Amino acid sequence: MGEEEEEVLGYLDRVLEEEMIECGDGDPITVTHRHWKGDLGKGLEMKKLVLSGFLTSEEIYINQLEALQLPLRPLKATATTSQPVLTMQQIDTIFYKIQDILEIHKEFYDALSPSIQQWDEKVTVGHLFKKLASQLGVYKAFVDNYKIALETAEKCSQANIQFQKISENLKVKGPKDSKDCSTVSMEALLYKPIDRVTRSTLVLHDLLKHTPEDHPDFPLLQDALRISQNFLSSINEEIDPRRTAVTTPKGEARQLVKDGFLVEVSESSRKLRHVFLFTDLLLCAKMKKTAVGRHQQYECKWYIPLADLTFQTPDDSDPCPSIQVLPEHEIEEMKMKISVLKNEIQKEKKAPKGQSRVERLRKKMNEQESWLLLHSPTIPFRVHNKHGKTFLFLLSSDYERSEWRESIQKLQKKDLQVCILTTYELQVLTNSCVKLRTVHNIPVTGNKDDEESSGLYGFLHVIVHSAKGFKESANLYCTLEVDSFGYFVSKAKTRVFRDTAEPSWNEEFEIELEGSQYLRILCYENCYDKSMLNKDDNEIVDKIMGKGQVQLDPQTVQSKNWQMDVIEMNGIKVEFSMKFTSRDLSLKRTPSKKQSGVFGVKISVVTKRERSKVPYIVRQCIEEVEKRGIDEVGIYRISGVATDIQALKLAFDTNTKDILMMLSDMDINAIAGTLKLYFRELPEPLLTDRLYPAFMEGIALSDPAAKENCMMHLLRSLPEPNIMTFLTLLDHLKRVAEKEPVNKMSLHNLATVFGPTLLRPSESESLKGQHIMSATDIWSHDVMGQVQVLLYYLQHPPISYAELKRNTLYFSTDV
């Protein structure tokens, strides 16, 4: 099976999987239909946007079919001559049903276009989609012939140089207003009809989400979706899912087991490689640059027979490449830039003439995402050739490292012979990788379809309850990972439950999601054997007992209630619950109606009641962090256990006498989390709603002197309790950053954590000034500005309250 069929399988599997998630045990349409309710106008406006985007892609698809059809007439003309390029039988096989598919879509496009141009709430399009779905029989015939069409085209290209030139240089017109023309291969264009039917199904899902149930379109779109789903299911069953085997010269079957993009450290620099695990060897390749329209090609960098492959053990003396790790703030800054670009792309898509700018922004974003994928991994994964050298990869997740290691070890249990390839055999195998690969693109946004989910933005609350299935007692803990910007990152860790076969953690965590689609849980046995010390990071290498992941389906997760689930891993069952709060909801500040306690109460009320300049909660949390948390890796970044934070919140609110005892006993990340929560729940930000626009304008000033003047003036303009609390926190965060070599928390990191918390406006102000964050607006210009404001003060020489007030006389207090 070639590259395209492999891609078809992956694509169809994903679509079907999404449909199964949507469907559950009930009607798929009922589940997908939640979003528009309560806002008819907005729902239908969204429907129009979905249709407009689909119409644009339909135009592109028609242009692709026309490009494929273009050589048909001259080829037929030569077929009856004495020197035919192709025979009539070959022409009919390669171009089978293309003309019929083209006619169907031209008719569909011509009917849909006027509906969108004359859009109002009464416009119906369901009948057009139902008619399109009813003509899928033509696609069935095309799919049945697809494999033989590809094989025929390839054989003809090899046999006839003239056809080879034609098939590699087909010209596809750009959109109507564009004079652009792209060159595409026939092989790529023959795949487009299969790609199209899956996209149409995804669009039907989106249309139903934004169509009221009582709209005439709704039942018609339901019918169209059911027909499309049944069609996809039938295709999926008929295509053989087994991977193609490569036959070695000795007649043995060598099969691809796993492949993926990994970062290799080579000659002290990071290189992105495509790694292929076959049944008898591991091959590391890089993609060669090829001309437009040419087939992609790989170049083999090295291979290791699995019979000779070992994993580097901690006491091995073989010298390894050094790992250069970038400061975390550079990684965070790149994430901000990417998120800003994503927002700009969304805005430009809605603009009348934004398409050309969208392509430029996409290219820039792809470059930045590729940089992030290259520089963010830090977990070493070494493979060693018994008779050669050691190779070092860097991964972002222990989960991924474990998967590669387990896949290799499983194959090594078989009776393997050492395979030494000749130069020719290696070239043949490397060339076959293009056809065999299952991972086609690096995980950047530009390589994803527009219809694909952009993931969740906000906060995922997870309770890790318990685990069963361990064969003997051990010291056990779990870690939680979520995907972010194309790779997975560890976000939380339970405490170690000692000497048990049935750990019961019952710990809750709040995990920030940045376009995340999956949650992973890894279960470890804590290892105290000092001989297992990892020489890279001086940490104990703990044993992974099991691992598993769940998809964060927006339909399921965004319920107000906790969703309980179980992950099964190697016979172990981990029970957990989760619920999701979108970022725009979780970050809202709402005025408090209570005057008792400290959380959610104005800072001036609290300090007046306490007769203090800085709230007691702030002073105590800072003192405890500086006493025993200043050396803690990731302090203020690592999530504390939510139940511990809630217990501390209740203690401070009720002014219990046991607060000091609780603080001394509590995990330090919970104390850090309590301090962050206090500032997050203030009814207005510490730097006030009134001054927020001025802070945003001040930080944007270019002239250093003007900026200094403005930023200091704004501090003076704050109420006294706010100034005193801010300066106290500022001094504390600077002391934390002084320990950056130990705790890995730089000023940049701390500004990222605290900036939005201290500056984000309250809800009434954000509505007034339009500082509203949409779910995908996690790192908008506003958020970047909030981080930059705090960073400015953190990088500023020490600021004293007395000095600030002394200079008040020289400035107006009006902002």
Side-chain angles (χ1 to χ4, degrees), residues 92 137 205-206 226 278 395 405 516 565 686:
D92 290 342
H205 275 296
D206 289 336
R226 287 197 183 95
F278 290 95
L395 309 179
R405 187 173 282 158
S516 306
D565 207 343
L686 187 65

Side-chain angles (χ1 to χ4, degrees), residues 622 625-626 630 635-636 672 675-676 679 725-740 743 745-755 758 790-791 793-795:
I622 284 175
V625 169
E626 292 192 3
I630 206 154
I635 188 70
Y636 288 120
L675 183 62
K676 288 190 294 181
F679 286 116
T725 304
F726 181 68
L727 293 180
T728 301
L729 181 64
L730 211 57
D731 289 342
H732 166 63
L733 295 179
K734 287 180 180 182
R735 285 192 289 274
V736 171
E738 285 170 7
K739 293 279 191 171
E740 183 192 351
N743 62 32
M745 292 301 289
S746 65
L747 292 175
H748 290 78
N749 286 348
L750 293 163
T752 302
V753 170
F754 276 95
L758 299 179
L790 180 55
L791 185 59
Y793 291 119
L794 284 170
Q795 292 175 332

Side-chain angles (χ1 to χ4, degrees), residues 583-597:
R583 191 167 181 84
D584 41 347
L585 286 174
S586 62
L587 295 183
K588 281 180 181 175
R589 294 185 193 274
T590 48
S592 176
K593 293 176 182 175
K594 64 172 188 173
Q595 291 300 306
S596 61

Side-chain angles (χ1 to χ4, degrees), residues 36 118 126 134 200 259 338 384 400 528 573 604 639 643 751:
W36 67 270
Q118 299 154 16
S134 69
S200 301
D259 70 297
I338 291 167
H384 182 66
E400 191 181 1
Y528 292 100
K573 292 183 179 179
S604 57
S639 173
T643 43

Side-chain angles (χ1 to χ4, degrees), residues 385-409:
N385 189 333
K386 288 177 187 173
H387 312 294
K389 59 183 287 192
T390 296
F391 300 96
L392 170 63
F393 294 108
L394 295 178
L395 309 179
S396 61
S397 158
D398 209 10
Y399 190 103
E400 191 181 1
R401 177 168 64 177
S402 174
E403 279 192 326
W404 278 98
R405 187 173 282 158
E406 285 170 11
S407 298
I408 291 169
Q409 288 171 335

Side-chain angles (χ1 to χ4, degrees), residues 131-387:
K131 184 179 179 182
L132 187 66
S134 69
Q135 295 169 307
L136 284 172
V138 178
Y139 275 90
K140 178 74 169 66
F142 176 85
V143 170
D144 290 343
N145 181 71
Y146 175 69
K147 187 175 180 181
I148 193 167
L150 273 186
E151 288 171 354
T152 306
E154 197 167 331
K155 284 177 187 173
C156 292
S157 286
Q158 291 168 359
N160 189 303
I161 191 72
Q162 199 175 349
F163 181 68
Q164 185 184 4
K165 286 180 181 175
I166 292 169
S167 66
E168 289 186 354
N169 296 283
L170 294 171
K171 304 288 183 189
V172 179
K173 290 185 297 183
K176 281 177 185 172
D177 300 333
S178 166
K179 294 180 181 178
D180 294 342
C181 202
S182 57
T183 304
V184 186
S185 69
M186 184 173 289
E187 184 182 6
L189 288 178
L190 281 170
Y191 175 62
K192 295 301 178 185
I194 294 173
D195 178 57
R196 192 66 194 164
V197 74
T198 56
R199 286 188 171 216
S200 301
T201 306
L202 292 172
V203 166
L204 284 166
H205 275 296
D206 289 336
L207 287 174
L208 277 159
K209 283 179 189 174
H210 303 292
T211 302
E213 286 178 7
D214 57 357
H215 194 282
D217 263 351
F218 193 79
L220 296 170
L221 291 171
Q222 270 188 324
D223 290 343
L225 180 58
R226 287 197 183 95
I227 295 166
S228 300
Q229 284 174 334
N230 292 337
F231 174 73
L232 285 174
S233 299
S234 67
I235 294 181
N236 208 44
E237 286 164 10
E238 288 177 25
I239 298 178
D240 183 2
R242 289 171 300 177
R243 295 200 179 103
T244 305
V246 180
T247 306
T248 65
K250 294 176 185 174
E252 299 160 354
R254 172 182 292 130
Q255 288 186 308
L256 179 66
V257 177
K258 180 178 175 64
D259 70 297
F261 288 95
L262 301 182
V263 173
E264 183 187 15
V265 178
S266 173
E267 298 169 357
S268 296
S269 65
R270 294 174 180 234
K271 317 274 187 184
L272 192 65
R273 304 293 194 215
H274 201 148
V275 182
F276 297 86
L277 175 61
F278 290 95
T279 40
D280 60 342
L281 61 87
L282 185 74
L283 186 147
C284 178
K286 80 169 214 179
M287 182 67 76
K288 288 166 73 172
K289 288 184 179 176
T290 52
V292 177
R294 294 273 175 190
H295 294 304
Q296 289 182 316
Q297 289 180 306
Y298 284 107
E299 174 191 329
C300 177
K301 300 306 293 180
W302 52 263
Y303 78 94
I304 305 176
L306 294 190
D308 287 341
L309 188 150
T310 62
F311 297 107
Q312 189 84 348
T313 53
D315 57 346
D316 283 339
S317 55
D318 191 31
C320 294
S322 59
I323 303 170
Q324 296 293 322
V325 179
L326 282 179
E328 194 169 324
H329 71 82
E330 289 190 28
I331 301 288
E332 291 300 323
E333 283 171 2
M334 184 57 79
K335 287 182 183 180
M336 290 185 208
K337 288 177 183 176
I338 291 167
S339 296
V340 168
L341 279 173
K342 281 184 179 178
N343 292 330
E344 287 181 12
I345 287 169
Q346 292 306 316
K347 288 172 189 168
E348 288 296 331
K349 277 183 179 176
K350 295 169 187 175
K353 295 181 180 178
Q355 205 54 42
S356 59
R357 180 162 153 74
V358 164
E359 290 310 312
R360 290 199 302 275
L361 290 171
R362 273 186 187 277
K363 186 179 177 184
K364 188 176 178 183
M365 185 171 70
N366 277 6
E367 289 169 0
Q368 293 182 350
E369 287 187 314
S370 300
W371 181 95
L372 193 63
L373 286 172
L374 201 61
H375 290 90
S376 54
T378 57
I379 296 174
F381 173 53
R382 290 191 178 83
V383 289
H384 182 66
N385 189 333
K386 288 177 187 173
H387 312 294

Side-chain angles (χ1 to χ4, degrees), residues 56-74:
T56 303
S57 68
E58 189 73 3
E59 183 189 344
I60 293 166
Y61 179 48
I62 289 168
N63 289 345
Q64 290 166 339
L65 292 173
E66 286 178 338
L68 192 55
Q69 188 84 341
L70 205 59
L72 191 56
R73 187 177 291 175

Side-chain angles (χ1 to χ4, degrees), residues 529-812:
D529 182 354
K530 295 296 179 187
S531 67
M532 294 294 286
L533 205 65
N534 184 321
K535 63 185 178 184
D536 285 317
D537 49 20
N538 207 33
E539 288 181 6
I540 304 297
V541 180
D542 292 338
K543 181 182 175 185
I544 294 182
M545 304 297 286
K547 62 187 191 310
Q549 75 175 20
V550 290
Q551 186 166 7
L552 300 175
D553 174 41
Q555 302 294 334
T556 309
V557 177
Q558 292 192 32
S559 162
K560 290 180 181 178
N561 302 320
W562 286 93
Q563 304 289 320
M564 187 171 270
D565 207 343
V566 174
I567 283 186
E568 296 199 31
M569 40 174 92
N570 300 348
I572 299 162
K573 292 183 179 179
V574 176
E575 192 178 77
F576 68 101
S577 298
M578 60 181 175
K579 68 176 179 179
F580 172 73
T581 312
S582 65
R583 191 167 181 84
D584 41 347
L585 286 174
S586 62
L587 295 183
K588 281 180 181 175
R589 294 185 193 274
T590 48
S592 176
K593 293 176 182 175
K594 64 172 188 173
Q595 291 300 306
S596 61
V598 294
F599 280 82
V601 178
K602 287 182 179 178
I603 198 165
S604 57
V605 173
V606 172
T607 50
K608 187 176 180 182
R609 187 200 308 140
E610 293 178 353
R611 296 179 183 174
S612 63
K613 293 181 178 178
V614 176
Y616 178 69
I617 183 174
V618 175
R619 287 180 281 124
Q620 288 306 128
C621 288
I622 284 175
E623 186 179 319
E624 200 64 37
V625 169
E626 292 192 3
K627 190 189 297 180
R628 58 189 180 91
I630 206 154
D631 290 337
E632 187 81 11
V633 174
I635 188 70
Y636 288 120
R637 185 171 51 80
I638 299 293
S639 173
V641 177
T643 43
D644 290 348
I645 293 171
Q646 290 303 316
L648 281 171
K649 176 183 176 181
L650 180 63
F652 276 111
D653 267 344
T654 55
N655 196 22
T656 175
K657 294 174 183 177
D658 298 329
I659 287 176
L660 293 179
M661 184 67 76
M662 284 181 71
L663 286 171
S664 61
D665 288 344
M666 198 67 79
D667 175 71
I668 200 63
N669 287 319
I671 294 168
T674 303
L675 183 62
K676 288 190 294 181
L677 184 67
Y678 169 72
F679 286 116
R680 203 160 87 198
E681 290 197 357
L682 284 174
E684 78 162 348
L686 187 65
L687 300 191
T688 73
D689 286 327
R690 183 176 69 90
L691 296 180
Y692 180 75
F695 276 113
M696 291 294 102
E697 288 170 17
I699 200 64
L701 293 171
S702 304
D703 178 53
K707 185 182 285 189
E708 164 78 7
N709 197 12
C710 178
M711 299 303 277
M712 289 303 113
H713 174 53
L714 289 171
L715 270 193
R716 291 183 198 97
S717 306
L718 288 169
E720 187 172 359
N722 299 57
I723 300 179
M724 295 299 292
T725 304
F726 181 68
L727 293 180
T728 301
L729 181 64
L730 211 57
D731 289 342
H732 166 63
L733 295 179
K734 287 180 180 182
R735 285 192 289 274
V736 171
E738 285 170 7
K739 293 279 191 171
E740 183 192 351
V742 181
N743 62 32
K744 310 299 182 192
M745 292 301 289
S746 65
L747 292 175
H748 290 78
N749 286 348
L750 293 163
T752 302
V753 170
F754 276 95
T757 303
L758 299 179
L759 279 121
R760 188 189 62 259
S762 59
E763 190 177 1
S764 56
E765 279 301 310
S766 57
L767 287 170
K768 207 183 296 175
Q770 293 303 304
H771 301 297
I772 302 165
M773 277 192 247
S774 68
T776 54
D777 208 12
I778 182 172
W779 285 120
S780 64
H781 284 291
D782 265 12
V783 177
M784 284 186 73
Q786 291 158 14
V787 171
Q788 291 301 319
V789 167
L790 180 55
L791 185 59
Y792 180 86
Y793 291 119
L794 284 170
Q795 292 175 332
H796 196 278
I799 306 165
S800 79
Y801 179 72
E803 188 71 26
L804 268 178
K805 298 317 282 183
R806 204 165 28 245
N807 292 331
T808 305
L809 298 172
Y810 302 106
F811 297 92
S812 163

